[in-house]
Amino acid sequence: MSEAMEPLGTEDQISFSYHTKVEDLLQATEVIDKKNRSDMRRNVQSMGIVIVLWMFVPDVMENPTRIVSWLMIALALGMMFMLWKYPDYENKKFASKKAELSPDYDLTVTREGIDVVDGSAHGVVSFSGRIAVFEYKNVFAITFEKNRVMAIPKDQLEEQTVEKLRGLLCQGLGDRFEKVDEFTKQAGLFGRGR
């Protein structure tokens, strides 16, 4: 869907529509997770699991019949798997559900906030509240309140609309608006790249 409403023509606001796609929401959750340092927390948690493994593997080597040690190793490996795979699963589930339940949005962005019309629902996301916007790949990833996420896809907007939107977000948010380049693979034992 391309732009449904004409930009209002003033420098203080812009209106446009877009259709939510799963891949746009996944890009938004990716950048928000990276900026919230989710990988760093997972690295610390993984180190705790490695310590548990380090405690029980030698015990199993000495006495292979110790069932408790085998159970602790299995539990630690299961937790490690969940620690690294579950967040991606949750992000995919969230993106699919949100794209299905709220596919079309009409937005009016001003220097004070974003007026959001989602079907019959209407709300305002104020720039004075807890909000951050990251321009990343093909989206403006918006995180607000507690874990609320929106993804404005740049490929569904005209170039001048993207420029005006970027300008309003910069003016309204200041340093809470950030253009993020591609993430590189993190170094270290538990680093992962995308």
Side-chain angles (χ1 to χ4, degrees):
M1 174 197 291
S2 64
E3 223 165 298
M5 298 179 356
E6 285 293 316
L8 294 179
T10 67
E11 294 300 318
D12 291 340
Q13 69 180 20
I14 188 168
S15 295
F16 55 89
S17 298
Y18 67 89
H19 181 77
T20 302
K21 293 188 276 183
V22 172
E23 41 291 346
D24 296 329
L25 288 164
L26 288 174
Q27 284 181 22
T29 58
E30 176 184 345
V31 69
I32 291 168
D33 282 351
K34 292 284 187 178
K35 295 307 285 184
N36 286 335
R37 304 177 70 93
S38 295
D39 283 347
M40 179 66 83
R41 284 193 295 274
R42 280 190 282 234
N43 285 342
V44 171
Q45 293 164 340
S46 295
M47 286 303 297
I49 293 171
V50 167
I51 291 169
V52 169
L53 286 171
W54 181 68
M55 290 169 40
F56 287 99
V57 168
D59 190 42
V60 166
M61 297 301 212
E62 285 179 24
N63 186 358
T65 60
R66 275 207 140 144
I67 294 175
V68 172
S69 295
W70 281 108
L71 287 174
M72 289 304 291
I73 290 171
L75 181 63
L77 291 174
M79 287 177 65
M80 182 78 83
F81 178 78
M82 290 293 289
L83 185 63
W84 287 98
K85 293 299 178 185
Y86 189 72
D88 291 336
Y89 166 77
E90 278 295 311
N91 285 346
K92 287 176 185 171
K93 190 170 105 177
F94 158 77
S96 295
K97 188 173 185 176
K98 184 163 177 105
E100 181 182 316
L101 294 176
S102 302
D104 297 311
Y105 283 88
D106 296 314
L107 270 60
T108 299
V109 181
T110 67
R111 291 181 186 174
E112 287 78 39
I114 304 171
D115 187 41
V116 182
V117 177
D118 162 19
S120 61
H122 178 263
V124 175
V125 180
S126 173
F127 289 162
S128 65
R130 212 173 147 186
I131 180 176
V133 178
F134 305 104
E135 184 176 355
Y136 178 66
K137 292 183 180 178
N138 181 50
V139 298
F140 289 100
I142 303 169
T143 178
F144 59 101
E145 293 177 9
K146 264 195 156 179
N147 297 324
R148 304 275 313 264
V149 175
M150 287 176 54
I152 300 173
K154 296 191 287 187
D155 64 352
Q156 294 183 37
L157 305 176
E158 292 178 0
E159 193 170 326
Q160 81 180 68
T161 303
V162 171
E163 291 300 320
K164 286 176 89 173
L165 175 59
R166 185 181 293 120
L168 285 170
L169 292 171
C170 284
Q171 291 172 7
L173 293 167
D175 63 353
R176 292 178 292 155
F177 173 78
E178 182 180 347
K179 185 169 182 152
V180 179
D181 295 324
E182 296 286 322
F183 292 102
T184 57
K185 185 169 177 75
Q186 293 179 347
L189 180 62
F190 300 109
R192 67 178 186 166
R194 294 198 185 220

